[in-house]
Structure formats: structure tokens, C-alpha cells
Amino acid sequence: MTSMAFKPGDDVFTTNVRGTIVDVRATPSGKWVFGVEDANGAVSYFTSKALRLARD
């Protein structure tokens, strides 16, 4: 788990929205996916390659 750059509570940009990481899971293939909740409350899952930290 040391290679993870994101953790729950992080504010991130996804490929199309800004949101907050609310869930982190491992897939059966061994990849990590991150659940990101947007402003409407919808949660979508992304790999770390599709995320970037939002810095104010």
C-alpha cells in the first residue's frame, strides 16, 4: 500500500469533475481504485492515473 498517493478525504480532480475521495478498494487484479464523490453526491471509481490532487 505504500505506492498509493491518495487517501480518503483528499480533494481531487478526476477526468471531468472535482470531488473528494470517500473509498479506496483493491480490484481482483490487484489494482487500487478510488471512489470519488462529486458535488451531487454521486460516487465514481477511478485509478490513480485518472486523478490529480486539487491544490487551492
Side-chain angles (χ1 to χ4, degrees):
M1 225 163 124
T2 58
S3 65
M4 285 190 348
F6 303 102
K7 62 187 179 310
D10 283 349
D11 192 24
V12 295
F13 288 110
T14 68
T15 53
N16 54 1
V17 298
R18 184 176 182 159
T20 303
I21 294 179
V22 294
D23 189 22
V24 180
R25 296 182 182 194
T27 64
S29 66
K31 294 189 183 253
W32 291 99
V33 291
F34 303 88
V36 177
E37 183 177 19
D38 65 17
N40 296 323
V43 177
S44 301
Y45 286 84
F46 300 90
T47 63
S48 61
K49 291 182 180 181
L51 300 176
R52 165 174 73 96
L53 283 174
R55 293 191 172 88
D56 293 328

